[in-house]
Amino acid sequence: MLEEVERWLTRRSWSVADRSLDRLMAAKTARGTTVSVVLPALDEESTVGAIVSVVRRELMERAPLVDELVVIDSGSSDATAKVAAEAGARVVHRDDILPRLPALPGKGEVLWRSLLVTDGDVVAFVDADLREFSADFVTGIVGPLLTEPDVQLVKAMYDRPLGSRGIPGASAGPSAGPSAGQGGRVTELVARPLLNLHWPLLAGFVQPLGGEYAARRTLLERLPFPVGYGVELGLLVDALHTVGLDALGQVDVGTRLHRHQDDRALGRMAAAIYRTAQSRLSRSHLGAHLVRPELTQFERGENGFVPRTYDVDTEERPPMREIAEYTAGRAA
């Protein structure tokens, strides 16, 4: 590991326990910083309500750390929107945001559009499929942005057990328990090698693809957003080039439990992440040729293996400050 990264790890890696809620409230009040929490959601009726309830109860009612809590529904076919609203979130449908621009499928698209319907100086993103959710996920990633003026973006770090714990309907028994440290397969097989090889300054991030992170609006509005699975890697790499390593940080929030994807879904995710990395390499002095933006996988059918080819996300949204509706709304 580079010496610069070793120094960064001691300076910009924290535990959620390092900052009490009272300290965060004092810093928020002193600086007048507002905080928005955004949950991108697609068919998450079984989990989104509990997350919203915890944030509202712990961080809006007991202590007003969070100023707005918004769930962006990206076309759920279940009761996600209803459950989120009943739990206390403001629910906005993805397609109702910036309607002149037809929405593209993908998580990054939802995160990008969320900037148009939130006002916080700090925007915290939290995945809507988390189980046994703790308010530490929010206080952890928001904390350094309230107390450290030079910090611009903070990622959560955590253990990611791979197993049945917290998953309804999973089988019981000794073989069904979680395996510590075995989650994050795309991180270990794709993202971490890419970062270590091409962006070694980011090699100190424990969970570079994690969906829980917070950033200052003034940074987010300057960055392009890959519309799909590549959004976390893209934002991290672009933030490094925009504000430098010392403006980035990470906070240990414990353990993250969520629904795991099957191998084919992980393959599509990996392809999108690789494509995002390729596009950034092509802009740098390292140089790279963009590869065919498609991925073929195989599924077993009645007569053997059947190929399925999927498009890899190639679209990106421009920095939000280039959108007329956003700049007009901020100036009003």
Side-chain angles (χ1 to χ4, degrees), residues 226-250:
V227 300
Y229 287 127
V231 62
E232 272 82 29
L233 184 134
L235 289 177
L236 191 59
V237 169
D238 291 343
L240 173 68
H241 292 309
T242 302
V243 295
L245 180 62
D246 200 52
L248 312 180
Q250 60 184 348

Side-chain angles (χ1 to χ4, degrees), residues 94-116:
R94 174 200 63 194
D95 296 346
D96 293 334
I97 307 170
L98 199 62
R100 71 169 176 84
L101 199 62
L104 296 168
K107 177 185 177 183
E109 177 82 353
V110 175
L111 301 184
W112 182 73
R113 288 177 185 258
S114 75
L115 298 181
L116 278 159

Side-chain angles (χ1 to χ4, degrees), residues 10 24-25 56 61 136 143 155 166 202 235-237 256 307 312 314 324:
T10 62
L24 298 187
M25 286 302 307
R56 174 159 288 281
E61 296 171 356
D136 287 351
K155 300 277 294 190
L202 297 175
L235 289 177
L236 191 59
V237 169
R256 183 185 197 267
V312 175
T314 58

Side-chain angles (χ1 to χ4, degrees), residues 101-266:
L101 199 62
L104 296 168
K107 177 185 177 183
E109 177 82 353
V110 175
L111 301 184
W112 182 73
R113 288 177 185 258
S114 75
L115 298 181
L116 278 159
V117 293
T118 55
D119 295 313
D121 303 314
V122 169
V123 181
F125 299 122
V126 176
D127 281 349
D129 66 342
L130 302 189
R131 301 185 183 278
E132 299 182 24
F133 179 78
S134 166
D136 287 351
F137 277 81
V138 175
T139 58
I141 59 179
V142 167
L145 295 165
L146 296 176
T147 62
E148 308 290 334
D150 295 335
V151 173
Q152 296 285 316
L153 183 149
V154 179
K155 300 277 294 190
M157 56 178 168
Y158 33 68
D159 293 317
R160 295 184 65 180
L162 181 60
S164 64
R165 181 182 170 194
I167 302 175
S171 60
S175 63
S179 178
Q182 294 302 308
R185 290 161 287 173
V186 175
T187 293
E188 299 303 329
L189 298 176
V190 180
R192 199 175 308 285
L194 283 171
L195 293 176
N196 276 264
L197 290 170
H198 298 298
W199 295 281
L201 287 177
L202 297 175
F205 276 93
V206 175
Q207 296 290 353
L209 299 184
E212 290 67 50
Y213 51 101
R216 300 191 191 279
R217 178 177 294 273
T218 50
L219 172 61
L220 291 173
E221 66 187 14
R222 298 162 64 189
L223 302 178
F225 276 61
V227 300
Y229 287 127
V231 62
E232 272 82 29
L233 184 134
L235 289 177
L236 191 59
V237 169
D238 291 343
L240 173 68
H241 292 309
T242 302
V243 295
L245 180 62
D246 200 52
L248 312 180
Q250 60 184 348
V251 175
D252 186 352
V253 297
T255 300
R256 183 185 197 267
L257 300 175
H258 67 114
R259 183 187 67 251
H260 292 287
Q261 304 275 6
D262 63 34
D263 288 347
R264 287 188 294 274
L266 293 177

